[in-house]
Amino acid sequence: MNFFDIAEARQSCRRYDPARGVEDDKLQAVLEAVRLAPSACNGQPYHVTVCRGEAAKQAAEACMGMGMNRFAADAPLLLVISEEAYVASAALGAKAKGNDYRSMDIGIAVAYLTAEATAQGLSTCILGWFDDDKLRRLCGVDKPVRLAVTLGYAAEDDPHRSKKRKPLSELVSYRD
């Protein structure tokens, strides 16, 4: 798959096949993509906790408050991304420039994660609705959880949806 094939194929999965687990080699490829993602000062200010089995069920439950993300219960894996401390140079840059580089770096890492998952034939959904305290306890982390990502195989009846995106003319401008 080339990049545009991956970008077109990737979507937020809303129906997983609960009987089909994720092979270790595919999980390792997805995690390696996270490791290779660029970050400010190469600091990688995040940690990924892989939740599977009973931990995946508990993580899914922590993401399903108020009826949200019910499909997460069928995902065989949940990847919980928590924030870590900046490296000194990125901390200095963040303070001097007023930028939240950690959030940017986590977003880039998750983009790499979801792209590699798609290349591996897996499906994902990025979750921002979750109970931070429950996920911290489950994952044994003391820093804020920023995102959770469901990972698995889409059920056969989870259709591919066409992309609804703004035209480039609304997203890009040129200056000479």
Side-chain angles (χ1 to χ4, degrees), residues 3 6-11 29-38 46 48 79 81 102-120 122-127 147-149 151:
F3 179 79
I6 291 168
E8 181 60 39
R10 196 263 156 209
Q11 67 181 10
V30 168
L31 296 173
E32 182 66 9
V34 172
R35 189 183 75 82
L36 293 174
Y46 42 80
V48 180
L79 307 178
I81 294 86
R102 281 185 292 222
S103 291
M104 292 179 214
D105 292 343
I106 289 168
I108 294 166
V110 170
Y112 271 52
L113 180 161
T114 59
E116 181 58 29
T118 301
Q120 293 291 328
L122 299 168
S123 294
T124 58
C125 188
I126 303 166
L127 309 177
L147 292 171
V149 181
L151 181 67

Side-chain angles (χ1 to χ4, degrees), residues 13-47:
C13 183
R14 298 289 194 249
R15 184 180 298 273
Y16 287 93
D17 180 348
R20 193 167 177 200
V22 174
E23 299 87 346
D24 285 340
D25 61 322
K26 291 185 177 190
L27 172 60
Q28 291 308 310
V30 168
L31 296 173
E32 182 66 9
V34 172
R35 189 183 75 82
L36 293 174
S39 61
C41 303
N42 294 315
Q44 298 174 289
Y46 42 80
H47 179 82

Side-chain angles (χ1 to χ4, degrees), residues 87-163:
V87 295
S89 54
L92 178 63
K95 185 171 181 146
K97 293 298 180 180
N99 279 326
D100 180 6
Y101 295 124
R102 281 185 292 222
S103 291
M104 292 179 214
D105 292 343
I106 289 168
I108 294 166
V110 170
Y112 271 52
L113 180 161
T114 59
E116 181 58 29
T118 301
Q120 293 291 328
L122 299 168
S123 294
T124 58
C125 188
I126 303 166
L127 309 177
W129 182 280
F130 51 80
D131 184 318
D132 180 69
D133 290 333
K134 284 183 182 178
L135 286 179
R136 282 191 203 199
R137 283 192 303 275
L138 174 66
C139 297
V141 297
D142 61 354
K143 303 280 192 315
V145 171
R146 294 299 180 206
L147 292 171
V149 181
T150 54
L151 181 67
Y153 287 96
E156 287 188 27
D157 61 348
D158 187 47
H160 186 268
R161 301 174 300 275
S162 61
K163 303 280 184 202

Side-chain angles (χ1 to χ4, degrees), residues 51-97:
C51 297
R52 47 184 158 192
E54 184 56 34
K57 297 294 181 199
Q58 291 176 22
E61 188 177 303
C63 297
M64 294 191 294
M66 297 180 66
M68 299 293 286
N69 304 321
R70 290 183 186 147
F71 59 88
D74 288 332
L77 297 174
L78 264 82
L79 307 178
V80 178
I81 294 86
S82 53
E83 182 178 280
E84 289 291 325
Y86 282 120
V87 295
S89 54
L92 178 63
K95 185 171 181 146
K97 293 298 180 180

